[in-house]
Amino acid sequence: MENNNENEEKPLLFTLRRFHLSEDYGFLLPNPLSELPAPYGPWMEIANNLPHLIQSHQLRSQVYKMPQLSSQHLKGHRELHLAHLALSFITMGFVWQEGEEGTVKLLPRNLAVPYCEISQMLGLPPILVHADFVLANWKKKNLNGNLDTIFSLPGGESLRGFILVTLLVEKAAAPGVKVPYNSYSALLDYVDPAIFYAVIRIFLSGWKDNPAMPGGLIYEGVSDEPMSYSGGSAAQSTVLHAFDELLTIRHSKESSNGPEGAAFLHRMRDYMPPHHRAFIEEIQSAPSLKQHILSSGNEKLRIAYNQCVSVLADLRTYHIAIVTKFIITAAANAKAKKGKESHWVGSLQINPPSSLQERGTGGSGILSFLKSVRDTTRAGIIEC
Ligand code: HEM
């Protein structure tokens, strides 16, 4: 006879494991490694020392001296993720070390070739993605379970706070969307808007739709043609894409709120690990929950569905307020200070990138995009 218990334990549609999802950690990589095998010492030495190497303008010269390493000694997806994370951080530091006016056109082959090989094995693009920056960039600091990041970039405690708070949102989103409110508000405690705006963002920026790098970047030894990739953004987080699909909130190209933002959001799925992307596609292809509620005529279901949609729209409204504080207001403050002699916050020199004034690190035009996504969400409400 069949073991019924076993069947009951399996979720109705699919098992979490199939999509590299964990009940405890959601989309986070459970217990990421923080050490690579010995042959990769030269990468780790640089990746572990990035803030200093960038601020002392030594990173590029260190990268040019790196030996040409093959990716063949990397075993298993945890080593591959750590290697992608290390090379992504090194690449962002390498490209943006001298700010937006001192960018490079070419990523040297000793970095570009293994980076593209590893990216291909993981099904990720060769640029820093949310899956690196947040999902794979954490470790337990002590036995109390306090968290720390594995690698860092300039931005000190604000960068650490930004990464870890986003990580907490990811973790909190495993059972639902209500908890992210508390995590979002933690951003206000841990991240200094001036440092976020002027120091951190440039290192998350890409080389697509970015006036500071209009020609993209040549990955030497991989292709002679420059390649263009969007920078890291939580728009690449699978969480909200999954909620949208579950609630049949479609930011489609046909959406009345305009195609530009919707297309950007869809493009961000190409920056997710393939298993997480497959999870969204599975929900998308499953029978529509909304359709079921509409045809059932069940009032309780309709109310419960509408509550979920409202919470999601409110969460997006809250996120807009955060973006206003950390980018729009911070931009105005930075503009007001421009022209004055060097401006420092703590030990960090503030020199905001002008090409990012109205754009997100993913390259989107910010507020109109975020508002249209929020409005499409709200339009999902089922009227009685
Ligand atoms: C300092 C805090 C934050 C700022 C300044 C910020 C900024 C932005 C910007 C500018 C965008 C537009 C896309 C782009 O070009 O990158 C965006 C999108 C997005 N962000 Fe944030 N963000 C912050 C924190 C977070 C956190 C903690 C999360 C939670 C995971 C999050 C989730 C999202 C999502 C899901 C999108 C896609 C739009 C949507 O689905 O509504 N953000 N963010």
Side-chain angles (χ1 to χ4, degrees):
M1 259 186 72
E2 249 183 55
N3 180 345
N4 283 334
N5 275 348
E6 209 174 75
N7 278 343
E8 276 164 23
E9 277 167 22
K10 283 189 185 166
L12 208 56
L13 273 174
F14 33 71
T15 58
L16 294 176
R17 216 179 294 167
R18 207 176 113 212
F19 297 104
H20 290 200
L21 268 164
S22 136
E23 211 172 333
D24 295 330
Y25 294 102
F27 294 98
L28 294 171
L29 183 66
N31 306 313
L33 297 176
S34 51
E35 292 295 335
L36 281 180
Y40 299 101
W43 293 353
M44 291 302 281
E45 218 170 283
I46 292 180
N48 280 324
N49 202 15
L50 283 171
H52 167 70
L53 290 175
I54 293 168
Q55 275 153 4
S56 58
H57 303 270
Q58 296 176 62
L59 176 61
R60 285 188 187 160
S61 55
Q62 292 294 312
V63 167
Y64 288 125
K65 283 188 229 152
M66 261 179 9
Q68 180 84 46
L69 299 174
S70 149
S71 56
Q72 70 183 11
H73 305 292
L74 293 166
K75 293 197 178 60
H77 77 283
R78 288 204 304 158
E79 281 187 11
L80 285 171
H81 271 293
L82 179 59
H84 196 272
L85 173 66
L87 297 187
S88 295
F89 267 63
I90 294 174
T91 297
M92 300 321 258
F94 181 89
V95 169
W96 298 114
Q97 170 178 297
E98 303 301 330
E100 63 179 346
E101 273 144 27
T103 56
V104 289
K105 291 202 161 49
L106 186 138
L107 200 66
R109 73 176 62 231
N110 54 349
L111 176 53
V113 171
Y115 190 23
C116 288
E117 280 170 11
I118 293 163
S119 300
Q120 203 176 18
M121 285 188 260
L122 285 172
L124 289 173
I127 191 166
L128 179 74
V129 290
H130 180 79
D132 297 307
F133 186 63
V134 176
L135 304 186
N137 188 21
W138 65 278
K139 60 182 178 188
K140 289 195 176 129
K141 198 177 187 174
N142 52 33
L143 291 176
N144 296 336
N146 290 344
L147 298 179
D148 204 352
T149 55
I150 298 175
F151 300 125
S152 206
L153 284 164
E157 283 303 295
S158 285
L159 179 80
R160 216 176 130 258
F162 180 57
I163 296 173
L164 293 178
V165 170
T166 311
L167 182 151
L168 291 181
V169 176
E170 284 282 342
K171 192 162 186 303
V177 286
K178 265 197 164 164
V179 196
Y181 280 112
N182 300 336
S183 313
Y184 266 151
S185 58
L187 270 173
L188 308 176
D189 298 333
Y190 293 107
V191 185
D192 180 330
I195 293 182
F196 176 79
Y197 181 73
V199 181
I200 295 176
R201 294 178 72 231
I202 191 166
F203 291 103
L204 309 182
S205 312
W207 24 100
K208 181 178 173 66
D209 302 330
N210 186 346
M213 289 186 71
L217 182 69
I218 294 176
Y219 290 67
E220 192 189 26
V222 179
S223 165
D224 293 338
E225 291 300 315
M227 302 203 249
S228 297
Y229 290 105
S230 297
S233 162
Q236 297 161 2
S237 162
T238 311
V239 172
L240 263 69
H241 288 256
F243 284 132
D244 281 340
E245 290 298 346
L246 186 66
L247 299 170
T248 330
I249 290 161
R250 298 265 152 87
H251 307 284
S252 64
K253 288 190 186 147
E254 294 76 40
S255 137
S256 58
N257 289 314
E260 196 205 308
F264 168 79
L265 216 45
H266 275 265
R267 203 159 51 72
M268 288 300 101
R269 294 186 181 180
D270 297 338
Y271 290 72
M272 295 174 188
H275 285 89
H276 294 175
R277 197 163 55 232
F279 178 73
I280 301 174
E281 284 158 8
E282 183 92 0
I283 300 175
Q284 204 175 4
S285 61
S288 157
L289 178 68
K290 185 171 187 177
Q291 202 47 53
H292 169 71
I293 293 168
L294 283 168
S295 52
S296 75
N298 184 318
E299 185 57 6
K300 276 192 183 155
L301 280 182
R302 188 184 70 83
I303 291 169
Y305 172 88
N306 282 349
Q307 276 171 344
C308 294
V309 172
S310 298
V311 169
L312 194 55
D314 291 350
L315 187 69
R316 286 190 154 126
T317 299
Y318 198 69
H319 177 257
I320 291 170
I322 289 192
V323 172
T324 305
K325 180 178 169 116
F326 281 83
I327 299 181
I328 312 296
T329 312
N333 289 342
K335 233 181 194 171
K337 288 197 172 111
K338 215 174 176 184
K340 296 193 179 150
E341 295 220 336
S342 57
H343 168 49
W344 295 77
V345 173
S347 60
L348 293 163
Q349 190 169 19
I350 299 298
N351 186 19
S354 58
S355 60
L356 285 179
Q357 251 169 38
E358 284 149 25
R359 299 208 154 255
T361 48
S364 72
I366 305 171
L367 280 189
S368 59
F369 162 62
L370 293 174
K371 282 183 184 160
S372 93
V373 172
R374 189 265 320 271
D375 293 345
T376 310
T377 310
R378 207 171 266 157
I381 292 278
I382 306 175
E383 305 291 348
C384 45

